[in-house]
Amino acid sequence: KEFRLAQICGLHLIVHAEELESLIRLYEGSGYIDELCSLIENGLGLERAHMGMFTELAILYCKYRPEQIMDHLKLYWSRINIPKVIRACESSHLWPELVFLFVHYDEFDNAAQTIIEHSVDAWEHASFKDIIVKVSNVELYYKALRFYLKEQPLLLNDLLNVMMARIDHTRVVSMFQKSDNIPLIKKYLVAAQSTNNKSVNEAYNELLIEEEDFVGLRNSIDNHDNFDGIGLAQRLEKHELLEFRRIAAHLYNQAKRWRQSLSLSKKDKLYKDAMTTARLSGSTDIAEDLLRYFVESGNPACFSACLFTCYDLVRSDVVMELAWRHGLTNEAMPYFVNMIREYQNKVDTLTTEVSELKAK
């Protein structure tokens, strides 16, 4: 057991790759593991140190000193036979070290798969994010999402953010809808709306309705138009909150369903919205029907306001008849004053033009 002398001799042998394996078998078979590790460690600094020495020492650490293997890999990963050490790490169930080797061997798919399967030992959020964006198998994206949903739900949005450009948004939304976990990915939905994806928009709009966030819903439908507007309007027109019914009328306006929008606004006595709808429609019939509604419902103030809002749409003879028959002359007078002023300006302009033509 002259290990000091054996080491002196051994340092001359291990630099020869063909001698290394038999020397390791001799020490290992005799149970002299510490002495063997010491011998190879001392040989790493030799000028003639070769890949086999670094590799075999890594394998010995895997078997007998697992607490030292990671430090060894970090120092010498570029000088070892990585596939051989990968097999040793798998046999010894050294999952963090296995992930490290897969990453440095550009086997990102296997690294991600290992982390998912052995998350208790191998998972670390920052490193997993770095790895998942480099995988080539896109199915791993969705496997990673299911893994995070099960084990790290609060970090889902952060993971989705780094995968934003690589995932199918429709598939992601469908996945979380099936598991009834859409609220967990709200931040992702907000970010993904920039793609104007129909599934993303509809899922986000649905979430805002559940949260009764009518301000957010109005902003969403105004800025991202790829969704079933009529379907959403039909749902919202029966909502118990007034602001959501206003959004339904707004959606009907966007779809140019003016009469449905007017019907909702009149039902909720949102007369300003009704007048705006009539003006946006550009229809004389719709504007005059609204005037008649205000007359029949005994609302002279709105009759007068509607004349101002829909000034370019209503016909003066219709206004005059309604005002005369229902005693609304005072309410209609500002309209007539303005109308006569306009006509006078037009007549004056024409007179001037005719005079200039005659002078020529």
Side-chain angles (χ1 to χ4, degrees):
K1 296 183 180 181
E2 293 288 342
F3 293 113
R4 188 179 64 81
L5 295 175
Q7 185 172 115
I8 294 172
C9 297
L11 288 174
H12 292 280
L13 291 174
I14 60 175
V15 294
H16 301 284
E18 65 276 7
E19 302 288 346
L20 180 61
E21 191 172 339
S22 57
L23 186 146
I24 290 173
R25 279 201 305 270
L26 175 63
Y27 271 77
E28 217 172 357
S30 303
Y32 301 136
I33 305 302
D34 290 341
E35 290 76 8
L36 175 59
C37 290
S38 176
L39 170 60
I40 299 178
E41 285 170 354
N42 289 331
L44 295 183
L46 296 175
E47 186 177 339
R48 296 172 62 191
H50 53 82
M51 178 180 286
M53 295 167 59
F54 294 94
T55 301
E56 293 300 334
L57 183 59
I59 293 171
L60 289 171
Y61 283 159
C62 287
K63 292 179 180 178
Y64 307 112
R65 296 182 181 178
E67 71 280 356
Q68 290 182 249
I69 180 62
M70 182 60 87
D71 291 336
H72 180 73
L73 294 178
K74 288 179 178 177
L75 285 172
Y76 303 116
W77 67 266
S78 62
R79 302 189 68 177
I80 64 174
N81 183 332
I82 292 181
K84 197 171 181 180
V85 180
I86 282 176
R87 291 192 292 273
C89 287
E90 281 182 309
S91 299
S92 302
H93 295 181
L94 300 175
W95 309 121
E97 291 79 2
L98 183 60
V99 169
F100 178 88
L101 290 170
F102 278 139
V103 169
H104 285 81
Y105 201 51
D106 292 337
E107 291 282 349
F108 299 106
D109 290 35
N110 287 332
Q113 187 71 34
T114 302
I115 292 173
I116 292 171
E117 292 175 356
H118 305 284
S119 58
V120 173
D121 298 312
W123 176 80
E124 200 277 319
H125 181 54
S127 65
F128 186 76
K129 286 194 301 179
D130 292 337
I131 292 168
I132 198 65
V133 296
K134 298 175 183 176
V135 301
S136 56
N137 181 3
V138 295
E139 288 301 315
L140 280 172
Y141 298 146
Y142 308 102
K143 190 169 185 179
L145 290 175
R146 287 190 287 271
F147 161 63
Y148 265 67
L149 179 60
K150 182 179 178 181
E151 298 195 14
Q152 303 292 338
L154 297 181
L155 295 174
L156 268 168
N157 287 292
D158 197 23
L159 180 66
L160 283 162
N161 186 52
V162 300
M163 298 193 300
M164 184 78 69
R166 297 171 174 81
I167 52 179
D168 179 347
H169 299 299
T170 301
R171 183 172 175 181
V172 171
V173 169
S174 176
M175 179 192 302
F176 284 92
Q177 282 177 331
K178 287 178 182 177
S179 61
D180 195 24
N181 284 299
I182 285 292
L184 279 175
I185 59 169
K186 181 178 179 180
K187 290 181 180 179
Y188 155 75
L189 292 175
V190 173
Q193 272 202 301
S194 61
T195 64
N196 204 22
N197 178 278
K198 183 176 181 180
S199 296
V200 170
N201 291 340
E202 291 183 346
Y204 183 56
N205 291 343
E206 182 71 25
L207 185 58
L208 292 173
I209 293 170
E210 290 180 13
E211 295 177 351
E212 298 185 347
D213 182 1
F214 56 84
V215 175
L217 181 60
R218 181 66 178 259
N219 289 333
S220 174
I221 65 177
D222 283 345
N223 295 318
H224 307 95
D225 58 0
N226 189 11
F227 62 95
D228 180 9
I230 298 301
L232 182 59
Q234 289 172 341
R235 179 183 173 189
L236 292 177
E237 66 178 305
K238 300 172 185 175
H239 201 284
E240 60 183 3
L241 295 182
L242 173 64
E243 288 297 331
F244 284 100
R245 297 198 295 274
R246 288 188 71 190
I247 292 174
H250 177 61
L251 287 167
Y252 282 132
N253 283 346
Q254 289 184 334
K256 301 189 185 304
R257 296 194 178 188
W258 312 112
R259 295 195 181 276
Q260 285 173 278
S261 177
L262 276 171
S263 176
L264 271 179
S265 297
K266 289 191 287 189
K267 184 179 178 181
D268 287 323
K269 298 183 178 180
L270 297 170
Y271 298 134
K272 181 180 178 181
D273 290 358
M275 290 180 236
T276 301
T277 297
R279 177 174 55 80
L280 290 173
S281 73
S283 168
T284 295
D285 289 341
I286 289 176
E288 290 178 353
D289 285 346
L290 185 59
L291 275 180
R292 293 187 184 95
Y293 169 78
F294 289 139
V295 170
E296 291 165 5
S297 60
N299 198 329
C302 285
F303 173 80
S304 182
C306 188
L307 287 174
F308 173 77
T309 304
C310 304
Y311 178 83
D312 295 328
L313 299 177
V314 296
R315 293 170 292 186
S316 57
D317 59 316
V318 173
V319 176
M320 186 175 292
E321 180 186 355
L322 289 173
W324 172 62
R325 291 179 61 188
H326 298 280
L328 296 171
T329 305
N330 288 339
E331 284 74 12
M333 190 54 65
Y335 166 81
F336 287 124
V337 169
N338 197 61
M339 181 194 69
I340 292 170
R341 178 65 178 180
E342 272 197 359
Y343 285 168
Q344 186 63 51
N345 288 339
K346 288 178 182 178
V347 170
D348 291 344
T349 301
L350 286 171
T351 300
T352 302
E353 290 177 356
V354 169
S355 298
E356 290 175 353
L357 287 171
K358 285 181 179 180
K360 290 180 180 179

